[in-house]
Amino acid sequence: MNVKYKSKDVLVNFYKKILVLIVLAFMVVSCGETKKEITINYDIQFKKSATELVAKMTLKEKISQMRYDSPEITRLNIPEYNWWNECLHGVARAGEATVFPQGIGMGATWNPSLIHKMGIAVSDEARAKHHKFKSEGKRGIYQGLTFWTPNINIFRDPRWGRGQETYGEDPYLTSRIGVNYIKGLQGNDPKYLKVVATAKHYAVHSGPEKTRHSDNYKVSDRDLYETYLPAFEAAIIEAKVHSVMCAYNRFRDQACCGSNLLLQKILREDWNFQGYVVSDCWAINDFWEPNKHGLTKTPAEAGALAVNSGTDLNCGNVYDPHLQEAVLKEMLDEAQLDKALIRLFTARYKLGMFEDDANIPWAKIPYNVVASKAHYTLSEKVAKESMVLLKNDNNILPLSKKINTIAVIGPNADSKQALLGNYHGTPHHFFTPLKAIQAKLPNAKVNYALGSHVAEGWPMLKPVAPSFLQNNGKVGLKGEYFDNKNWEGKPVFIRNDADINFIWMPKKPVENLQKDNFSVRWTGQITPKESGKYRIGFQASNGVKFYLNGKLKFQFTAKHQVRTNYFDIDLKKGKPNTIKIEYFNFHSDPQAHLVWAKMDKDLITPALEVAKKSEVVVLCLGLSPDIEGEEMPVLLEGFDKGDRSDIVLPKTQLELMQKVVALGKPTVLVLMNGSALAVNWANKNVSGILEAWYPGEFGGKAIADVLFGDYNPAGRLPITFYKSLKDLPDFQSYTMQNRTYKYFKGDPLFQFGHGLSYTTFKYSNLVLEDNIAKETPIALSVNVTNSGKMAGDEVVQLYISHIDSKNDAPIRSLVGFKRIHLKVGETKTIAFTISPKQYAQLNSSGNAVFNTGKIIVSVGGKQPINLKDETVISKVVTINN
């Protein structure tokens, strides 16, 4: 019996152990499942929340939330929100911010990791500003977290005024800079977006500006997929950009903001884009307004077409109120509105807009990051890395700091605008080349002269000095300040303003004024000290009415950026002219500047005089964002509504340069511009040429550091500099034949990828297989040695060319690059991998084809034009089956 019971106990214990093991196994599995459940898919969670919120809205409420300036819905606890923000090269139009080099300068760095750091800095400032605005109850334009940046269009033609906003002419370079800037902006938090970046302008968009509202572009599938789409594809697939802005123009007869091909087939189906699409501003009006696209007859039809095609958000006035008519007349199903709104509110949830700031990591960024020392240092670094030394005959550069006299001459020598480019913020600093050279040479005599206007008929407007302004026996103008934007009631206070040259940041005019809503009326007289023809203007970030001698001369509302209006008038010496200026402010970037220039003043003679008494001359020439940019009312010789009708240096500047050079003084040319210039005469007659772009608030310091050898330049051209427009196709032709370095068959002035250094580099030991199986990666490495006498950066560039092309392949294509730093005598081994997609050829349908045959792989500090150059090393590789 006892034995039997013992056996039974053993059996029971055995089963107990089995049961325990089963429970433990179940617990392990359960824990594993629990762990998986803890890994929350926040995108699904936010989309669910957005779906539930949209379901509670009325039709009218839904439509109101599809406009860029979305109003509050109190009953649903939805605050007002303005989707419009800019941060092309720093937070723009939202008060003081760090201003980095313009987009084209960012491209010229050839340094994606640096631009990623820049994106982090810019989004730090954006977040800090947003939360400060929010704490003050401000939710207006330029105060949110959705930024309409970057511009990743291809700069295919140097005439385009907005090319300055891009990263250049090459799809690969553009994609690398764009992806890194987007990642820096949007952040790396697994739950919340730092800000929303917007890839624009989608797609096939790069001028002309004056016909963008009516143009219809048609390109081959090969050009579409080889040139115009790669940067957008990379932004969406690699960088996960959360917003795309559709362009003004039509593509293949469909408006870009109403294109099923672009917005449905390619964007959402092929690339699986999960974000939202916003129209370019008032682009949907172009669907129906006279002399534009002519796609619809009414605003309701236009709105329906855009929404049905996939444009979720309207910058403009078509959706609200016209979508209500479109739904009621069954042009548009309300379910389409829901789809768009879910995308929009998912973005707002991902930004943390419906949660307590305490739960949002980005809300903890302190406001003191704005215009901080660290960001200033970074801006200056980007500016330095963007400098491209185009020419340095006889080693005229760097200049000696021991010189006693130097002349700094030219319209951009002391120009603030030439630092900024377009779509800029308001900097605290303006280090122009003149100021930076003066600081660099404290013991030298720096002689300055304007020398010329930027262009004939476009003088450099300067603030009117107090000595020219009077009121009631006082110097300056009488200022009446109102606590509203309509000059209503009694002024809050009255004071005498010696001059009108205000940037009211970070402080408002006085503490008892509302910073975003105030107005000023200035009155008095302006009296010239010389007779002649004058241009009088006013620069403002908001609105102005300008009266002279009782007559209204102009009025304007600068809704979205600092704008200058002006008039020309003959004035007599010593004769007072009554002046009244009514300024109003309605957003967070208050600026007001009374400016003028004497039109018939001799500028060249003083410039020649200062050049004669100087050992060295620095000419600061180029262009200005006042005359090249987005859809401008500028009609000058060589310029056309923001674009250029010629690419040569304006006549006024060419004449100045020729007369200065004729003096025989050592002369260096510094160019500040947003697009390529045909400086053929300078290339033949000036020993040193430095391309500085629009280099940001510290641009002058970067220029001075390069000129005097405190920084060794290594920027590279992101665009081709052509010799003449005669070498190029028609501006409105979007075919890539004979455009950009990839297809241009002529002789460029300066080639894409060009840039000199104060040291030399030698390439050796290219390790690369002779034969590669098709559709497999190509690995290679090369040694780069600093063979000169100065430490510096080198931009290692990797190109391929198809020898056995069966479909007219590009002359060569950039497929890799790395910016590296080398000490004197130092050697580094640089490795690359060329993916099959990069060496595939595209057929007429835009599909990748892997042909067998020979390709040339070239690596060096420039394009492989001269294969005997030690800075380029090449090898023929055979692609086999």
Side-chain angles (χ1 to χ4, degrees), residues 697-714:
E697 63 183 295
F698 295 95
K701 293 183 71 174
I703 290 168
D705 280 353
V706 171
L707 292 181
F708 292 94
D710 290 325
Y711 183 79
N712 189 354

Side-chain angles (χ1 to χ4, degrees), residues 218-333:
K218 297 183 179 182
V219 301
S220 67
D221 281 338
R222 181 176 168 187
D223 280 347
L224 179 65
Y225 285 96
E226 191 168 70
T227 298
Y228 294 110
L229 293 185
F232 286 98
E233 181 180 14
I236 289 154
I237 293 175
E238 293 182 55
K240 308 297 181 187
V241 73
H242 203 73
S243 172
V244 168
M245 176 179 281
C246 48
Y248 286 110
N249 53 280
R250 276 173 290 153
F251 176 65
R252 295 181 182 172
D253 303 321
Q254 293 184 330
C256 291
C257 292
S259 170
N260 285 317
L261 171 64
L262 293 177
L263 301 181
Q264 295 296 339
K265 169 66 172 64
I266 297 174
L267 188 64
R268 296 201 180 275
E269 294 176 19
D270 295 349
W271 297 343
N272 194 32
F273 176 61
Q274 297 297 308
Y276 64 88
V277 175
V278 57
S279 74
D280 208 336
C281 294
W282 283 262
I284 297 173
N285 295 58
D286 296 343
F287 290 16
W288 62 274
E289 288 182 350
N291 304 314
K292 294 183 179 177
H293 293 319
L295 296 170
T296 65
K297 294 181 179 179
T298 67
E301 292 172 330
L305 173 59
V307 174
N308 281 324
S309 300
T311 300
D312 307 304
L313 180 67
N314 179 209
C315 180
N317 56 4
V318 172
Y319 283 8
D320 190 5
H322 302 292
L323 287 185
Q324 184 159 353
E325 178 187 347
V327 172
L328 294 176
K329 290 185 176 180
E330 298 184 347
M331 304 174 195
L332 175 66
D333 194 302

Side-chain angles (χ1 to χ4, degrees), residues 47-113:
K47 186 175 181 179
K48 182 175 182 288
S49 298
T51 302
E52 292 171 353
L53 184 60
V54 171
K56 298 175 184 177
M57 296 182 191
T58 66
L59 176 60
K60 187 175 181 180
E61 288 171 338
K62 290 177 181 179
I63 292 169
S64 76
Q65 297 302 298
M66 294 175 69
R67 54 189 286 174
Y68 77 96
D69 50 347
S70 305
E72 178 184 24
I73 303 179
T74 307
R75 71 179 189 87
L76 296 178
N77 296 316
I78 298 174
E80 69 172 299
Y81 183 66
N82 197 303
W83 295 78
W84 191 334
N85 286 275
E86 307 286 357
C87 66
L88 183 65
H89 52 117
V91 178
R93 307 172 184 173
E96 187 176 49
T98 306
V99 178
F100 292 84
Q102 176 61 291
I104 194 69
M106 294 163 63
T109 68
W110 289 57
N111 192 341
S113 62

